Amino acid sequence: MNVEICVGRQQEGLFVEWQITHYSVLDSTNLEAKRMIQQQMIVQSKPTLHGTVLVAETQIDGKGRLNRQWVSQPGTGLWFTVILKPNLPIAQASLYSFVVAVSVAEAIRELYDLAVTLKWPNDVLLHGKKLCGILLELVSCTPSVYYLVVGIGVNVNQMLMEFPQELQEKASSIAIALGKTVDSMQLLSVILERLEENCSLFETQGFAPIRSKWKKQNCVIGQEVSVQIQGQTEYIGIVDDLAMDGTLVVRTADSIRTVVAGDVSLRTKEGNYTF
Ligand code: ADP
């Protein structure tokens, strides 16, 4: 199952040595990462997992938020998980969602010059369709020590008809946008570079520079959205801002609300709300 261990990367001035393992098939890269962490907690003498990267050719049980299915067909996308052991207090862990989304967007812009945008909290979209989903999970080792399990799924080389029918309206891939297939390992390498830089930026200068990068690329501020919590539409409003704690500030007809968890759907020209 586990076919090879490749590249450990270390550059002058940067602090992560990525240990990348390729798998032909996994239930889910996040599940495998969590199993590795559990194992490490049992055998205390094992080395740190910070910087471990698990890449799967396919996932048979890939998941998004709220246990939603993440479609990860063989060989078409970049399905991977990064394990990080942050130095910041656990209260700031959820802000890594933005660090990761910004890093993926920067890598895609840099390599392919595609005008990707960010939807709260951490979807990467292209022309309003989802190109990448991110699932951030936290595993506590002790009350103050924790790992972040960062699942990233990028649609790379799928053609439209390869997506299941129900996703064809709302998903896109880099190959669809460029009209040609690309090297997903090159994409992985640039995402990891940007992630390394942005983690360092966040950990040394706080959330402000990440927030500013996220705001420059976002597609929700100033837009009308419907806010759903556990699948139910709660209210409709205009997005005002991304707050310093990562919550979304939404102005409704009679109040200012903050979205801590949930989904926001953008209003389309036709007056519907997209995913
Ligand atoms: P959201 O950010 O919308 O909550 P998640 O990150 O939880 O989404 O991802 C799950 C949802 O994404 C699924 O319900 C499905 O609609 C959609 N989805 C699943 N697989 C893919 C894919 N490969 N590309 C784009 N969208 C997908």
Side-chain angles (χ1 to χ4, degrees), residues 191-247:
I191 291 174
L192 294 177
E193 279 175 31
R194 295 289 85 78
L195 187 60
E196 199 163 4
E197 285 170 11
N198 286 315
C199 282
S200 163
L201 189 64
F202 178 44
E203 288 166 13
T204 55
Q205 295 181 37
F207 188 50
I210 299 297
R211 173 174 176 255
S212 152
K213 286 185 178 205
W214 189 92
K215 284 179 72 169
K216 280 195 190 115
Q217 300 186 71
N218 93 93
C219 61
V220 293
I221 295 178
Q223 301 299 310
E224 185 174 319
V225 293
S226 107
V227 177
Q228 290 111 34
I229 294 166
Q230 293 181 336
Q232 302 289 318
T233 299
E234 295 284 316
Y235 52 89
I236 285 170
I238 309 281
V239 178
D240 254 358
D241 204 359
L242 175 72
M244 273 303 283
D245 61 359
T247 57

Side-chain angles (χ1 to χ4, degrees), residues 63-73 79 119-123 130-135 153-155 158 163 166-167 170-172 262-263 275:
K63 287 285 191 286
R65 291 184 302 147
L66 302 171
N67 219 22
R68 295 175 186 131
Q69 190 200 8
W70 182 263
V71 174
S72 328
Q73 293 140 315
W79 323 124
K119 177 171 162 268
W120 189 89
N122 57 17
D123 281 343
K130 191 140 84 178
L131 201 60
C132 167
I134 292 162
L135 175 66
V154 190
N155 296 323
Q158 296 98 325
F163 285 110
E166 69 279 9
L167 286 185
K170 53 183 188 178
S172 192
D263 292 301
F275 64 94

Side-chain angles (χ1 to χ4, degrees), residues 86-104:
N87 291 317
L88 296 178
I90 216 159
Q92 284 177 275
S94 64
L95 297 176
Y96 279 92
S97 267
F98 301 94
V99 175
V100 177
V102 161
S103 304
V104 172

